[in-house]
Amino acid sequence: MNRIIAICLVLFVNQLFANQIPTIYGIWMSEEKDYSIEVYTSGPQLLAKIHWVNTQKVLSVLDVYNSDPALRSRPLTGLIIWRDFRMDNNGKKWKSGRIYNFHNGNYYNARLSLTDDGRLELYGFWWFLSMFGKSKYFIKVQ
């Protein structure tokens, strides 16, 4: 009987703390509300694919700016736009990632972090020139 109580107590405390730790996995909406992404893992890497596109704010639901003409007719929904991110030691930052900007068809290096207010910050930059990058923020939906 004591074992059952101890197991229930451990499960309860574990669930209590799990709800307080922010997680990067799930659905995130861009602050501009032009699209949402689903963040997930595949093996050791973190990826994100487009979950939803706001057709009133995005010019096309197809990948029309892709440098490869054969890929310009593929739909944006389901398209993997973040890949190769690796978690940093503290668990709140991910580095060494690559992002695809479907607004212009370019690829960039990037890093991710969770901000103190619970937003997801994506910082993209060209090659090794991280000082000339740009941040984009996402708000957790699910």
Side-chain angles (χ1 to χ4, degrees):
M1 182 67 172
N2 288 340
R3 282 186 174 174
I4 294 173
I5 292 172
I7 290 171
C8 288
L9 184 61
V10 167
L11 291 174
F12 173 75
V13 170
N14 186 34
Q15 186 62 35
L16 180 68
F17 286 111
N19 289 337
Q20 295 175 353
I21 299 170
T23 179
I24 195 170
Y25 310 112
I27 308 295
W28 294 81
M29 177 71 69
S30 68
E31 281 193 330
E32 299 83 11
K33 294 184 174 45
D34 55 345
Y35 69 99
S36 66
I37 55 170
E38 179 181 356
V39 178
Y40 62 100
T41 58
S42 178
Q45 68 172 313
L46 183 83
L47 301 114
K49 62 183 174 183
I50 297 179
H51 178 259
W52 171 81
V53 177
N54 184 343
T55 56
Q56 295 177 345
K57 292 191 174 188
V58 175
L59 295 177
S60 176
V61 294
L62 301 176
D63 191 14
V64 295
Y65 297 107
N66 197 299
S67 60
D68 183 349
L71 298 177
R72 291 180 184 159
S73 62
R74 68 180 175 174
L76 291 176
T77 304
L79 182 65
I80 296 173
I81 59 171
W82 298 359
R83 61 178 66 244
D84 302 329
F85 285 95
R86 307 280 182 199
M87 187 183 295
D88 205 348
N89 292 336
N90 68 7
K92 289 184 77 175
K93 294 185 180 191
W94 292 260
K95 57 185 178 180
S96 304
R98 295 277 295 158
I99 58 171
Y100 174 68
N101 183 343
F102 66 88
H103 294 290
N104 63 19
N106 292 324
Y107 288 89
Y108 301 94
N109 293 327
R111 60 181 178 245
L112 297 166
S113 62
L114 290 170
T115 63
D116 291 337
D117 62 358
R119 294 180 303 160
L120 178 60
E121 179 185 10
L122 169 69
Y123 184 78
F125 53 95
W126 190 56
W127 288 12
F128 59 89
L129 302 171
S130 63
M131 65 200 97
F132 299 112
K134 182 177 179 183
S135 289
K136 183 168 180 77
Y137 293 91
F138 296 83
I139 302 162
K140 186 83 177 248
V141 176
Q142 251 179 341

